Amino acid sequence: MKVIKNVLSKKESNIFLKETIFNDNFPWYYLHDSATLKEKSNTFNYSWYHALILNGKVNSSFYQIFEKSILNIINKFNLNNKIITRIRIGKTMSIGKKYINNLHIDQKENHQTILYYLNNSDGDTYFYKKDKKTIDKQITPEQNKAVLFDGLTYHASSKPIKNMYRMVLNINLKDA
């Protein structure tokens, strides 16, 4: 696992927020379960998302706005020889109490994941040991911080309590 703070310039970091995501025209889609596509889930597991890339293909016209910044994030981790399989922006809302969402892996095949935090929040990300029960590491979201980890590491987001929402850009990469 590798963590980098201030991954992008302040100006570039703000492109994600002020010019796009906080725009009234930015489309968010509802997920019953923030970790999977299951219809039936615990009531508190819901979240909002916007998929920029799915199955290695551009899925959103907004990708063009973010592309340069996304490539800069990937390059900071020296992963420019990898293939992007999925990029998703996630938004988890506060429910006023602590709640850890379902632990999961993003894809079943070998891959690497970068979580790029879009805002400061208290909705931590939990990384689990192989037993899937013991928390190994806990990362607090800070705007412009990125975490690279083995995509087969089980992890879970959590609901913020003090902040209204937690937003993260999730990038999944595989070997070329």
Side-chain angles (χ1 to χ4, degrees), residues 4-132:
I4 301 176
K5 292 185 176 187
N6 301 312
V7 177
L8 302 174
S9 70
K10 198 169 202 170
K11 179 182 177 187
E12 197 172 12
S13 169
N14 285 331
I15 288 173
F16 279 105
L17 302 173
K18 295 181 178 150
E19 295 180 21
T20 50
I21 296 174
F22 287 148
N23 184 308
D24 290 340
N25 296 319
F26 188 78
W28 290 100
Y29 302 94
Y30 179 78
L31 267 181
H32 293 279
D33 185 317
S34 63
T36 68
L37 296 176
K38 294 178 187 173
E39 290 272 338
K40 294 181 180 180
S41 178
N42 184 306
T43 307
F44 300 125
N45 258 358
Y46 76 92
S47 67
W48 298 90
Y49 80 100
H50 185 97
L52 298 172
I53 292 182
L54 283 176
N55 301 316
K57 296 184 177 150
V58 174
N59 186 64
S60 168
S61 60
F62 285 90
Y63 176 72
Q64 294 171 334
I65 296 168
F66 300 126
E67 183 177 26
K68 182 178 179 239
S69 297
I70 289 168
L71 295 177
N72 285 340
I73 293 166
I74 292 168
N75 288 337
K76 285 281 185 172
F77 289 103
N78 296 315
L79 298 173
N80 38 346
N81 60 339
K82 303 284 183 176
I83 296 170
I84 299 170
T85 57
R86 184 183 80 148
I87 299 177
R88 183 174 94 166
I89 302 169
K91 185 175 187 179
T92 304
M93 307 301 290
S94 175
I95 58 171
K97 63 181 180 178
K98 183 174 180 172
Y99 185 82
I100 299 174
N101 293 311
N102 290 336
L103 68 125
H104 65 282
I105 54 174
D106 296 342
Q107 299 170 346
K108 292 180 181 176
E109 61 274 349
N110 285 332
H111 67 287
Q112 290 180 295
T113 299
I114 299 172
L115 297 179
Y116 174 76
Y117 296 105
L118 295 165
N119 69 313
N120 295 321
S121 179
D122 59 320
D124 289 4
T125 303
Y126 296 89
F127 297 91
Y128 291 82
K129 292 187 178 185
K130 292 188 189 271
D131 66 9
K132 301 180 195 171

